[in-house]
């Protein structure tokens, strides 16, 4: 039996051997997950392009971490770029720099994140360089060829080289860090001589002259400097004239001096390039509680271009060619016209919530009495999905009940008496309906206001509980809640005012029916801190699925010392004194 | 013992053969069991016809997006009539913001080249059928070849306008050993090939297929003329463009559908109207991709240039809302919510249901011919005639007087600007806007660069505006990059220098 066993084993072995021979080819196993090189290796692998810059990186002592795991973006200047830089700085070779100098140079070319050209804008890159200065990107066109630029100093020759520890963009010049602070940058231009003197006299020159400010909120600052010409256009040709116009106390260093305020109003926190400026509707200035509003009109960047109280106030244009100047601690822009803090007294704002620019464009919807716009027992109105309005948002669920709608009724209606006969309807509730709705107000001048919310009362079922809503003004809850399903109580004007209600429409005061359904409710008093557009949020408070019939007409902001009762408002749009 | 040995030997032999057979890559049966191979095809005229039909069918999409979707995206994304909506993809916004990288898959031309290859296959193998099938006449073979040549020319025309320099393939790729690493052909040469294909197709393409649906859905001689007119305008050869337009107009086979309530239904909802010249015909069995695109979770809605009653292109009559441009609200878009309406509406306010989303994609219609003729006239010093044609289109559409312009007929640029604006009104969302803008801007060596600059300053988001304007000053940026995958697989392709 033994030889048999041996034979079987040999036979099986033969079969396997044959199968192996006639079988597949030998596999070469890949042991590394990627064959991509790291950033420093990439520089070494392309000596014809980067041998000089590689030397700089090496001497700066950064070759180690640029060859290790990480996420970096390196702007790598070519050999020609480095040579031009050497000539410019009068050095014979890279070795003539000290390691510390090279560190500063290389740090400006390095960002601790991976950034490719698809996130480039007209402004700064989203992350600061390791040197602590932002890089400004853009596109320039030379001889018909457009390329990305960095800091207006270098063109990107080859963007987006993806390596295993980050991205490399090849640039044609070495980037040079800004050496002047914002204050020095303004001072260096003779166009800004009057403004520079104002900076110095008010003490802001020193605040703008601090590098690496320990107060991190003022680590970067943005200055909008006025040229001498801009001032001259407003009749100010010397610093003395400027001082005479504004400085009432005679000491511009005092915070309550108007010249001090004028300068503070021209300085913003953070490095804000033009692209950043137009990305937010308003920017706080160093003058406490004062903001400038921003606008992009065609290609023009405008400051303080607004309509206020029904009047248009043309804005101030920033000169693109002389703006976006990077300083070591911020950005300097140049204004083409003179502007200063506007002194405004608080003025009442009757905020018609349905008067939204997006709605105005819909001529077949806006203020049209149609079936689609009608108020019905289930709600009614033309429905809008989230995102339809720039100034209204809500926590929409996917459900169709969490949209909002626009309702418009005939001006002859004997039930609804809303101003201009239109409402916005917000379904409110804690599940599929909206838990909150947020509206941006028109411009409110800083000051103290009483806030009235005016609605047409709707109650879906007599069995429903109360549906209180809280109103937050800029995140601060108001003193009173209100309920879209609550009627106005009965009583005389004086009694009602004591209870926090009033009659705001033209409906006859009968203490019955329609009179009680057109409600204006006092929410409390707000202290508006800045002259700006503010946020009002209505939050549903009841533990209930809520109802559809919430018709908001207007929100009034009336200065505390003004008449709170009059004028009243008509369905045809009239304001009755 | 001996017996056992033999048995073992047998087992070993069997095992060996079995292992050897299954380890090798050879198959005993060479012909596929589930398909037909080329040697068995191209035998009858029916098979030839099936192959031609296949070329058209491939336009409707299969493994890729339908070609009309590319035509829409390529023709509208870079222009000014769209606003991104909730469903928009980042690749789409990147194109809208002039922020295109070669990794943007919308610049993949694969679907177009697939159909071009189908056309090439017919051109290569179709003539062989003549020898095998006696019932196929030379005339009908030529007609079939004319159809696919014109289709190929049309697709190359889309490529040359979108990419400028593209590989020119006029031979079919029908086996693995024909795969080649192609180089790019300059846009001018591609245009020459297009002209050549069209002039060959012109003589042989049928005037009619004796069926209205076929006349609109397949390429007739009039389609060839329409493509010619468009190509010649692009090449700035205005007398030739004019001649091509006149051939269609003089045939008196087409007319404008009158601008009453039935206009939208006839032209866009039902399709194949007397205005249609070439339409890519979707139907119940093959739906277009526009319903999910514009309705379910809209990727785009109309921009304010369409809907704005004061500054838009259609405007609104504030005093008398019953007066309106029939092409605006309820046709191009539903202004109430900005939905792009041409492909999802059944009338001015009712929407199609999802399973009826088969609006045709209209490649050319008669209004296009009239406005192309107007453009050719304007640029050959015949301004008054050009303006007459524009007015014909405007009257049909009941355009509002607010949108009319008083133009000096001798000022060719002003007349062209008016025509460009009228084309935006007439062909909103028909995939023509970007090509129209680019054609006007690039005329006379980019004499009208300002049209592009003005457009991007309106459409691109604020923080990218200056970059986009500077990018557009480089003519290379007006054309798409070659998609990364194509570059990796074909080492002979050279990327558009703007995207390097």
């Amino acid at each position: 039996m033994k030889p048999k066993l041996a034979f079987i084993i040999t036979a099986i072995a033969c079969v396997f051997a044959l199968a192996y021979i006639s079988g597949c080819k030998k596999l070469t196993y890949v042991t590394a997950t990627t064959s991509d090189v790291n950033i420093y290796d990439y520089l070494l692998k392309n000596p014809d392009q980067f041998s000089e810059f590689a030397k700089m990186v090496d001497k700066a002592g950064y070759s180690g971490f640029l060859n290790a795991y990480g996420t970096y973006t390196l702007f790598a200047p070519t050999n020609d770029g480095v040579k031009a830089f050497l000539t410019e700085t009068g050095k014979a070779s890279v070795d003539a720099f000290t390691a510390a100098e090279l560190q500063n140079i290389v740090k400006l070319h390095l960002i601790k994140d991976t950034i490719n050209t698809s996130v480039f804008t007209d402004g700064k890159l989203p992350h600061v360089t390791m040197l602590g200065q932002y890089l400004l990107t853009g596109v320039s066109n030379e001889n018909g060829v457009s390329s990305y630029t960095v800091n207006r100093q270098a063109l990107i020759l080859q963007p987006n080289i993806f390596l295993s520890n980050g991205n490399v963009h090849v640039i044609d010049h070495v980037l040079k860090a800004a050496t002047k602070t914002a204050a020095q940058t303004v001072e260096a231009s003779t166009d800004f001589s009057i403004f520079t003197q104002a900076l110095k006299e008010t003490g802001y020159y020193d605040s703008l002259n601090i590098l690496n400010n320990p107060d991190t909120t003022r680590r970067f600052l943005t200055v909008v400097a006025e040229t001498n010409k801009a001032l001259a256009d407003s009749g100010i040709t010397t610093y003395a004239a400027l001082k005479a116009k504004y400085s009432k106390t005679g000491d511009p260093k005092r915070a309550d001096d108007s010249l001090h305020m004028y300068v503070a109003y021209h300085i913003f926190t953070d490095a804000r390039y033009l692209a950043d400026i137009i990305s937010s509707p308003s920017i706080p200035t160093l003058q406490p509680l004062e903001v400038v509003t921003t606008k992009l009109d065609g290609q023009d960047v405008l400051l303080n271009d607004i309509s206020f109280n029904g009047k248009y106030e043309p804005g101030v244009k920033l000169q693109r060619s002389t703006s976006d100047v990077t300083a070591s601690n911020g950005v300097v822009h140049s204004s083409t016209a003179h502007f200063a803090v506007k002194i405004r007294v608080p003025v009442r704002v009757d905020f018609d919530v349905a008067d939204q620019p997006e709605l105005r464009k819909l001529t077949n919807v806006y203020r049209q009495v149609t079936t689609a716009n009608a108020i019905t027992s289930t709600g009614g109105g033309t429905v809008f999905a989230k995102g339809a309005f720039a100034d209204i948002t809500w926590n929409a669920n996917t459900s169709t009940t969490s949209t909002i709608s626009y309702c418009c009724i005939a001006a002859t209606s004997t039930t609804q008496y809303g101003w201009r006969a239109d409402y916005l309807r917000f379904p409110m509730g804690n599940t599929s309906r909206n838990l909150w709705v947020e509206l941006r107000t028109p411009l409110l001048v800083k000051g103290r206001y009483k806030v009235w919310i005016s609605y047409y009362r709707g109650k879906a079922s007599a069995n429903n509980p109360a549906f209180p809503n809280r109103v937050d003004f800029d995140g601060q809850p108001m003193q009173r809640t209100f309920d879209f399903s609550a009627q106005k109580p009965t009583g005389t004007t004086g009694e009602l005012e004591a209870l926090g209600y009033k009659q705001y429409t033209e409906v006859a005061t009968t203490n019955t029916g329609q009179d009680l359904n057109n409600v204006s409710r006092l929410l409390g008093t707000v202290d508006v801190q800045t002259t700006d557009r503010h946020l009002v949020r209505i939050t549903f408070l009841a533990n209930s699925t809520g109802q559809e019939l919430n018709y908001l007409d207007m929100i009034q902001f009336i200065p505390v010392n003004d008449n709170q009762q009059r004028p009243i408002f008509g369905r045809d749009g009239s304001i009755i004194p | 013992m001996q017996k056992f040995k033999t048995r073992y030997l047998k087992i070993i032999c069997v095992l060996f053969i079995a292992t050897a057979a299954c380890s090798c890559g050879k198959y005993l049966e060479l012909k596929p069991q589930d398909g037909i191979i080329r040697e068995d095809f191209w035998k009858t005229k029916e098979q030839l016809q099936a192959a031609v039909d296949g070329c058209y069918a491939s336009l409707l999409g299969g493994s890729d997006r339908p070609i009309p979707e590319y035509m829409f995206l390529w023709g509208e994304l870079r222009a000014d009539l769209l606003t991104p909506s909730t469903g928009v993809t980042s690749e789409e916004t990147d194109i809208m913001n002039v922020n295109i990288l070669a990794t943007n898959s919308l610049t993949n031309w694969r679907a177009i080249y697939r159909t071009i290859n189908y056309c090439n296959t017919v051109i290569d193998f179709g003539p062989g059928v003549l020898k095998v099938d006696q019932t196929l006449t030379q005339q009908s073979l030529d007609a079939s070849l004319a159809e696919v040549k014109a289709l190929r020319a049309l697709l190359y025309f889309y490529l040359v306008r979108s990419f400028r320099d593209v590989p020119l393939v006029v031979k079919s790729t029908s086996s693995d050993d024909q795969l080649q690493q192609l180089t790019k052909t300059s846009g001018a040469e591609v245009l020459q090939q297009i002209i050549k294909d069209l002039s060959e197709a012109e003589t042989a393409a049928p005037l009619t297929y004796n069926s209205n649906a076929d006349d609109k859905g397949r390429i007739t001689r009039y389609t060839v003329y329409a493509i010619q007119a468009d190509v010649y305008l692009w090449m700035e050869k205005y007398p030739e463009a004019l001649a091509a337009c006149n051939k269609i107009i003089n045939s008196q086979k087409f007319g404008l559908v009158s601008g009453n309530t039935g206009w939208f239904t006839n032209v866009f909802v039902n399709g194949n109207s007397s205005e249609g010249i070439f339409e890519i015909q979707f139907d119940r069995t093959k739906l277009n991709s526009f319903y999910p695109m514009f309705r379910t979770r809209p990727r785009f809605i109309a921009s304010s240039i369409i809907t704005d009653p004061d500054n838009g292109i259609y405007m609104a009559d504030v005093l008398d809302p019953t007066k309106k441009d029939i092409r605006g609200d309820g046709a191009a878009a539903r202004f109430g919510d900005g939905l792009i309406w041409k492909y999802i509406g059944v009338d001015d306010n009712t929407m199609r249901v999802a399973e009826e989303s088969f609006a045709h994609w209209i490649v050319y219609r008669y209004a296009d011919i009239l406005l192309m003729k107007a453009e050719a006239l304007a640029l050959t010093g015949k301004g008054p005639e050009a303006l007459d044609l524009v007015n014909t289109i405007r009257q049909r559409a009941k355009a509002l007087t607010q949108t009319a312009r008083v133009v000096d007929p001798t000022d060719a640029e002003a007349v062209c600007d008016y025509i460009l604006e009228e084309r935006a009104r007439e062909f909103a969302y028909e995939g023509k806007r970007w090509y129209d803008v680019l054609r006007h801007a690039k005329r006379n060596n980019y004499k009208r660069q300002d049209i592009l600059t003005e457009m991007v300053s309106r459409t691109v988001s604020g923080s990218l505006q200056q970059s986009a304007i500077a990018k557009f000053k480089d003519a290379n940026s007006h054309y798409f990059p070659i998609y990364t995958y194509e570059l990796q697989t074909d080492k002979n392709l050279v990327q558009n220098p703007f995207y390097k």
Side-chain angles (χ1 to χ4, degrees):
Chain A
M1 223 30 210
K2 258 194 182 162
K4 210 198 242 173
L5 193 68
F7 178 74
I8 292 170
I9 292 168
T10 326
I12 291 170
C14 281
V15 169
F16 274 109
L18 282 166
Y20 181 75
I21 292 161
S22 60
C24 296
K25 278 177 261 161
K26 201 177 174 184
L27 279 174
T28 45
Y29 291 102
V30 181
T31 48
T33 50
T34 170
S35 58
D36 290 350
V37 292
N38 283 326
I39 291 177
Y40 183 65
D41 274 345
Y42 179 81
L43 299 180
L44 292 182
K45 259 178 71 183
N46 298 286
D48 51 321
Q49 268 190 298
F50 305 116
S51 60
E52 293 293 313
F53 190 65
K55 271 190 236 165
M56 294 170 98
V57 173
D58 194 29
K59 190 167 177 193
Y62 292 163
S63 54
F65 78 78
L66 281 182
N67 235 9
Y69 174 81
T71 48
Y72 300 101
T73 300
L74 175 70
F75 292 88
T78 58
N79 287 342
D80 289 343
V82 178
K83 276 174 199 149
F85 178 68
L86 292 174
T87 321
E88 202 180 315
T89 48
K91 305 276 183 179
S93 74
V94 172
D95 294 325
F97 288 103
T98 65
E101 283 171 330
L102 286 175
Q103 279 180 0
N104 279 340
I105 296 170
V106 175
K107 271 176 173 171
L108 184 67
H109 294 75
L110 260 179
I111 294 174
K112 270 194 203 161
D113 200 349
T114 48
I115 291 172
N116 67 35
T117 51
S118 65
V119 301
F120 283 23
T121 63
D122 297 341
K124 60 177 191 279
L125 286 178
H127 299 279
V128 72
T129 61
M130 290 174 72
L131 184 66
Q133 289 187 13
Y134 281 104
L135 290 180
L136 171 71
T137 55
V139 177
S140 86
N141 185 286
E142 280 172 33
N143 306 321
V145 179
S146 296
S147 353
Y148 283 104
T149 60
V150 183
N151 257 10
R152 293 183 180 164
Q153 294 165 344
L155 293 180
I156 293 193
L157 300 177
Q158 199 189 347
N160 306 330
I161 303 168
F162 301 118
L163 302 171
S164 59
N165 64 345
N167 299 350
V168 167
H169 305 279
V170 182
I171 53 176
D172 67 343
H173 284 95
V174 175
L175 302 176
K176 280 163 289 190
T179 50
K180 292 193 180 92
T181 60
Q184 289 161 342
T185 310
V186 176
E187 189 181 20
S189 167
T190 50
D191 275 346
F192 297 134
S193 62
I194 299 175
F195 193 78
T196 307
Q197 202 172 349
L199 281 177
K200 285 182 174 166
E201 299 269 329
T202 52
Y204 275 108
Y205 184 89
D206 298 328
S207 340
L208 287 172
N209 207 15
I210 306 167
L211 201 56
N212 290 322
N213 194 333
D215 175 1
T216 49
T217 57
R218 296 199 175 177
R219 169 76 183 77
F220 293 102
L221 292 169
T222 302
V223 190
V224 180
E226 290 184 8
T227 60
N228 292 348
K229 184 175 175 303
L231 287 163
D233 289 346
S234 295
I236 301 163
T237 50
T238 60
Y239 171 70
L242 183 69
K243 189 173 176 183
K245 181 167 180 192
Y246 288 107
S247 183
K248 302 297 180 206
T249 66
D251 178 9
K253 284 211 161 48
R254 283 174 56 168
D256 61 347
D257 186 87
S258 292
L259 184 62
H260 192 91
M261 293 182 190
Y262 160 79
V263 173
Y265 192 58
H266 287 69
I267 305 173
F268 318 143
T269 55
D270 291 342
R272 295 180 197 261
Y273 291 90
L274 293 181
D276 308 313
I277 286 183
I278 54 171
S279 302
S280 49
S282 66
I283 300 174
T285 65
L286 289 198
Q287 175 58 29
L289 309 180
E290 290 292 347
V291 298
V292 292
T293 61
T294 68
K295 191 173 177 182
L296 181 69
D297 180 21
Q299 294 191 46
D300 296 340
V301 179
L302 302 176
L303 298 183
N304 288 344
D305 187 85
I306 47 165
S307 282
F308 175 68
N309 212 10
K311 265 201 307 215
Y312 171 66
E313 299 178 358
V316 171
K317 188 176 139 188
L318 298 184
Q319 183 80 39
R320 275 200 188 263
S321 56
T322 49
S323 292
D324 279 349
V325 180
T326 306
S328 55
N329 63 345
V331 193
V332 176
H333 301 295
S334 162
S335 154
T336 59
H338 176 60
F339 68 103
V341 183
K342 277 252 165 66
I343 314 278
R344 297 185 203 272
V345 288
V347 62
R348 68 179 287 153
V349 170
D350 299 305
F351 174 27
D352 180 357
V353 294
D355 187 1
Q356 297 292 334
E358 293 84 357
L359 264 167
R360 277 177 174 272
K361 285 180 183 169
L362 308 177
T363 43
N364 54 351
V365 175
Y366 187 60
R367 294 188 189 162
Q368 298 297 317
V369 184
T370 59
T371 327
N373 280 345
I375 287 178
T376 68
S377 58
T378 53
T382 303
V383 173
F384 290 88
K386 192 179 176 184
F389 300 104
D391 292 332
I392 307 177
T393 184
W394 55 93
N395 78 326
N397 299 308
T398 47
S399 152
T400 50
T401 50
S402 59
T403 53
I404 72 166
S405 68
Y406 173 80
C407 299
C408 184
I409 39 104
T412 49
S413 161
T414 50
T415 45
Q416 291 97 6
Y417 281 81
W419 188 24
R420 295 175 180 140
D422 59 356
Y423 299 91
L424 283 186
R425 185 177 67 82
F426 308 116
M428 303 291 286
N430 67 357
T431 47
S432 63
R433 297 191 174 96
N434 300 297
L435 198 56
W436 54 261
V437 174
E438 191 169 80
L439 306 108
R440 189 182 293 277
T441 68
L443 192 77
L444 289 175
V445 177
K446 63 179 176 182
R448 285 171 64 77
Y449 296 87
K450 285 193 174 172
V451 184
W452 297 84
I453 194 154
S454 307
Y455 57 90
Y456 171 69
R457 177 257 191 185
K459 194 168 177 109
S461 157
N463 300 325
N464 276 350
F467 292 139
N469 294 291
R470 189 184 75 222
V471 177
D472 295 310
F473 184 84
D474 280 347
Q476 292 299 315
M478 303 276 308
Q479 291 88 334
R480 280 207 184 101
T481 60
F482 79 101
D483 182 351
F484 279 116
S485 62
Q487 284 185 323
K488 191 157 65 77
T490 54
T492 63
T493 308
E495 285 165 357
L496 287 178
E497 188 166 10
L499 291 167
Y501 287 94
K502 70 171 175 178
Q503 181 66 54
Y504 81 104
T505 63
E506 56 186 327
V507 66
T509 313
T510 57
N511 278 331
T512 52
Q514 69 269 48
D515 174 25
L516 301 183
N517 285 335
N518 292 284
V519 190
S520 189
R521 176 84 167 120
L522 178 65
L523 294 171
T525 308
V526 285
D527 202 352
V528 177
Q529 297 285 337
T530 56
T531 300
D532 196 0
R533 302 185 62 190
H534 296 270
L535 292 174
V536 170
R537 179 186 280 215
I538 301 170
T539 309
F540 187 74
L541 293 180
N543 185 20
S544 157
T545 53
Q547 66 161 7
E548 291 285 316
L549 310 180
N550 308 318
Y551 303 95
L552 183 62
D553 186 16
M554 66 193 292
I555 304 174
Q556 292 176 306
F557 296 88
I558 307 175
V560 281
N561 295 325
D562 287 12
N563 184 347
Q564 303 290 326
Q565 298 290 337
R566 305 293 287 196
I568 56 170
F569 299 86
R571 287 164 297 180
D572 57 357
S574 59
I575 297 175
I576 305 153
Chain B
M1 197 61 207
Q2 188 59 39
K3 217 178 182 180
F4 274 122
K5 259 187 188 165
T6 329
R7 188 177 291 167
Y8 281 126
L9 206 63
K10 275 183 189 161
I11 293 170
I12 291 163
C13 284
V14 168
L15 271 173
F16 177 66
I17 290 165
T19 354
C22 61
S23 63
C24 289
K26 265 193 175 174
Y27 299 97
L28 298 173
E29 178 58 52
L30 288 173
K31 283 193 180 181
Q33 304 291 305
D34 56 350
I36 189 162
I37 61 162
R38 197 181 75 223
E39 283 71 14
D40 291 344
F41 199 78
W42 305 110
K43 299 288 187 204
T44 63
K45 66 171 188 293
E46 287 76 18
Q47 287 176 337
L48 172 65
Q49 188 54 51
V52 174
D53 290 347
C55 295
Y56 289 114
S58 67
L59 297 172
L60 306 180
S63 54
D64 277 299
R65 302 157 193 260
I67 284 179
E69 187 176 333
Y70 282 104
M71 291 174 168
F72 176 87
L73 293 173
W74 291 359
E76 301 290 350
L77 274 181
R78 312 194 72 184
D80 51 359
L81 306 182
L82 296 180
T83 298
S85 186
T86 43
V88 74
T89 66
S90 62
E91 291 190 329
E92 285 159 349
T93 40
D94 278 349
I95 294 184
M96 294 171 108
N97 283 328
V98 201
N99 210 352
I100 311 169
L101 294 184
T103 46
N104 194 315
S105 69
L106 295 178
T107 67
N108 193 347
W109 58 35
R110 184 173 58 185
I112 312 287
Y113 271 108
R114 179 180 295 126
T115 301
I116 288 178
N117 189 45
Y118 292 154
C119 294
N120 286 340
T121 310
V122 175
I123 294 167
D124 284 354
F125 297 105
V129 181
L130 201 59
K131 297 193 195 81
V132 202
D133 185 352
Q134 304 297 323
T135 60
L136 176 68
T137 63
Q138 181 71 43
Q139 192 195 0
S140 62
L141 170 68
D142 288 348
S144 294
L145 293 181
E147 273 183 272
V148 292
K149 274 184 185 163
L151 186 57
R152 182 173 77 178
L154 177 69
L155 293 173
Y156 269 119
F157 187 43
Y158 271 92
L159 287 177
V160 86
R161 283 183 293 174
S162 306
F163 296 88
R164 192 180 53 201
D165 307 332
V166 292
L168 181 62
V169 200
V170 289
K171 285 268 166 252
S172 63
T173 308
S174 47
S175 75
D176 285 349
D177 48 296
Q178 284 174 328
L179 288 176
Q180 342 169 15
Q181 300 265 296
L182 293 158
T183 51
K184 281 201 301 190
T185 310
S186 79
E189 280 176 63
V190 177
L191 283 168
Q192 286 312 321
Q193 177 66 39
I194 293 171
I195 292 292
K196 180 168 168 277
D197 277 344
L198 289 174
S199 57
E200 284 168 18
E202 182 186 337
T203 46
L207 287 168
T208 177
Y209 296 94
N210 300 319
S211 132
N212 188 46
D214 281 354
D215 283 353
K216 310 293 180 188
R218 293 173 62 180
I219 284 173
T220 60
R221 201 174 295 175
Y222 304 111
T223 318
V224 178
Y225 295 144
I227 308 172
Q228 276 176 336
D230 208 358
V231 174
Y232 282 128
L233 274 188
W234 186 260
M235 296 171 77
E236 302 175 38
K237 293 187 172 178
Y238 305 114
E240 289 89 339
L242 193 58
C245 291
N246 281 336
K247 285 179 196 165
I248 299 176
I249 296 168
N250 295 340
S251 77
Q252 301 187 331
K253 283 255 198 173
F254 304 92
L256 293 176
V257 174
S258 66
N260 52 29
T261 46
W263 172 79
F264 183 71
T265 317
N266 276 326
V267 178
F268 299 105
V269 182
N270 300 336
N272 296 346
S273 64
S274 60
E275 195 169 330
I277 293 176
F278 181 51
E279 305 184 1
I280 297 178
Q281 299 175 336
F282 292 93
D283 67 12
R284 212 173 282 276
T285 57
K286 182 66 197 170
L287 300 179
N288 60 34
S289 54
F290 295 131
Y291 196 82
M293 198 164 162
F294 302 135
R295 169 71 186 95
T296 320
R297 191 159 170 262
R299 275 149 62 188
F300 311 103
I301 54 170
S303 71
S304 64
I305 293 154
I306 294 282
T307 53
D308 194 309
D310 304 318
N311 304 311
I313 52 175
Y314 297 109
M315 299 201 181
D317 193 323
V318 189
L319 302 174
D320 183 1
T322 58
K323 276 191 193 161
K324 59 174 202 172
D325 194 318
I326 58 166
R327 301 165 298 184
D329 189 10
R334 188 165 73 176
F335 289 7
D337 46 16
L339 289 180
I340 292 168
W341 201 248
K342 249 176 199 170
Y343 306 100
I344 59 170
V346 286
D347 59 33
D348 62 355
N349 199 33
T350 319
M351 224 176 285
R352 285 172 189 268
V353 289
E355 52 274 22
E356 279 181 11
S357 175
F358 45 75
H360 294 177
W361 176 262
I362 300 177
V363 184
Y364 289 108
R365 56 189 174 95
Y366 191 60
D368 206 354
I369 305 302
L370 295 184
L371 286 174
M372 285 200 280
K373 181 178 176 183
E375 198 171 316
L377 286 169
L379 290 162
T380 47
K382 299 189 186 96
E385 289 172 61
L387 290 176
D388 285 347
L389 284 171
V390 175
N391 285 331
T392 310
I393 296 290
R394 290 179 59 83
Q395 275 158 15
R396 187 277 293 262
K398 304 195 168 70
L400 296 180
T401 46
Q402 291 97 308
T403 64
R405 278 181 200 278
V406 182
V407 176
D408 173 6
T410 58
D411 181 353
E413 290 301 332
V415 178
C416 279
D417 283 351
Y418 192 23
I419 295 172
L420 178 61
E421 209 180 295
E422 200 55 44
R423 286 185 67 89
R425 276 187 280 271
E426 183 70 32
F427 306 116
Y429 309 121
E430 293 181 40
K432 294 187 182 285
R433 176 69 175 156
W434 164 252
Y435 299 124
D436 286 346
V437 168
L438 181 58
R439 183 177 67 239
H440 282 271
K442 79 179 185 70
R443 190 171 58 228
N444 283 338
N445 217 356
Y446 279 99
K447 192 178 164 200
R448 295 303 309 278
Q449 173 79 38
D450 61 300
I451 301 179
L452 285 171
T453 312
E454 191 273 329
M455 186 181 79
V456 296
S457 69
R458 280 186 285 118
T459 55
V460 169
S461 65
S463 62
L464 292 162
Q465 184 199 54
Q466 294 299 307
S467 295
I469 291 172
K471 284 177 188 173
F472 261 11
K473 286 183 183 154
D474 185 340
N476 289 325
S477 73
H478 306 154
Y479 300 95
F480 282 137
I482 298 176
Y483 185 52
T484 322
Y485 176 79
E486 301 291 337
L487 283 177
Q488 284 164 351
T489 45
D490 183 350
K491 298 294 176 196
N492 287 337
L493 285 179
V494 183
Q495 181 62 284
N496 177 339
F498 178 75
Y499 300 96
K500 273 187 175 169

